[in-house]
């Protein structure tokens, strides 16, 4: 394990970086946001079993792939900020997910977006500002 958790992005150890917490993750994210978009790293967590599932306040500076990920605990994305596209296609939220005050800024959902049983704060809600849905979106049982 590197002494500097930010070096974990070079190795694709995204869950290890997330395990260091929001401050370490966002320090990395702020450095990524300084780069031209084409040079930002993709966060690929496709087909991964995710035990660390508190992404509250995390900034995601480029494409994030959670396709077919298995969230083994309740997944928290409260106040997370997605600066680009994200895929949750085929993801499983074993114990639900919370997306209160989450920002999907210019996010394109080009495959079916599944927010079934996701939780959204009643007063604060969730922002889909500039989001584009090119396929079906499901909010069944979302609260």
């Amino acid at each position: 394990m590197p002494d500097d958790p930010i070096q974990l992005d070079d190795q694709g150890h995204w869950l290890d970086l997330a395990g260091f917490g929001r401050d370490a993750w966002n320090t990395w994210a702020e450095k990524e946001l300084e780069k031209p978009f084409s040079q930002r790293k993709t966060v690929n967590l496709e087909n991964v079993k995710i035990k660390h599932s508190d992404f509250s306040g995390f900034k995601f500076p480029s494409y994030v792939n959670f396709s077919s990920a298995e969230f083994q605990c309740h997944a928290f994305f409260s106040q997370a900020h997605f600066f680009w596209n994200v895929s949750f296609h085929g993801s499983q939220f074993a114990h639900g997910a919370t997306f209160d005050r989450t920002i999907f800024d210019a996010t394109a959902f080009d495959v079916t977006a599944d927010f079934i049983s996701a939780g959204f704060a009643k007063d604060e809600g969730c922002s889909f500002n500039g989001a584009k849905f090119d396929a079906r979106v499901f909010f069944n049982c979302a609260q």
Side-chain angles (χ1 to χ4, degrees):
M1 185 85 62
D3 293 332
D4 180 4
I6 305 308
Q7 293 174 2
L8 292 168
D9 78 329
D10 291 330
Q11 302 164 6
H13 291 249
W14 301 111
L15 292 179
D16 292 334
L17 178 56
F20 278 97
R22 179 182 56 222
D23 292 340
W25 182 278
N26 287 346
T27 297
W28 165 78
E30 289 296 332
K31 290 180 182 182
E32 287 293 298
L33 287 167
E34 293 172 2
K35 297 177 183 178
F37 183 77
S38 63
Q39 294 177 11
R40 296 181 194 170
K41 292 200 169 94
T42 294
V43 176
N44 188 0
L45 293 169
E46 183 176 11
N47 294 313
V48 174
K49 291 183 179 183
I50 300 175
K51 293 178 185 172
H52 170 92
S53 53
D54 188 355
F55 297 96
S56 297
F58 278 40
K59 295 178 183 179
F60 296 94
S62 63
Y63 177 65
V64 184
N65 186 3
F66 286 112
S67 297
S68 299
E70 183 182 323
F71 292 87
Q72 298 179 332
C73 301
H74 187 94
F76 292 93
F77 289 92
S78 302
Q79 296 182 320
H81 190 158
F82 292 90
F83 286 85
W84 196 243
N85 297 344
V86 58
S87 176
F88 287 101
H89 182 70
S91 293
Q92 296 178 0
F93 295 95
H95 299 283
T98 301
F99 290 91
D100 59 300
R101 293 178 280 163
T102 303
I103 300 171
F104 294 93
D105 198 11
T107 302
F109 294 91
D110 54 357
V111 294
T112 300
D114 179 349
F115 290 98
I116 294 173
S117 298
F120 299 91
K122 292 177 183 168
D123 296 332
E124 300 296 332
C126 176
S127 172
F128 287 92
N129 183 39
K132 181 180 178 186
F133 294 93
D134 287 333
R136 294 182 296 175
V137 59
F138 297 100
F139 289 97
N140 304 45
C141 300
Q143 298 179 12

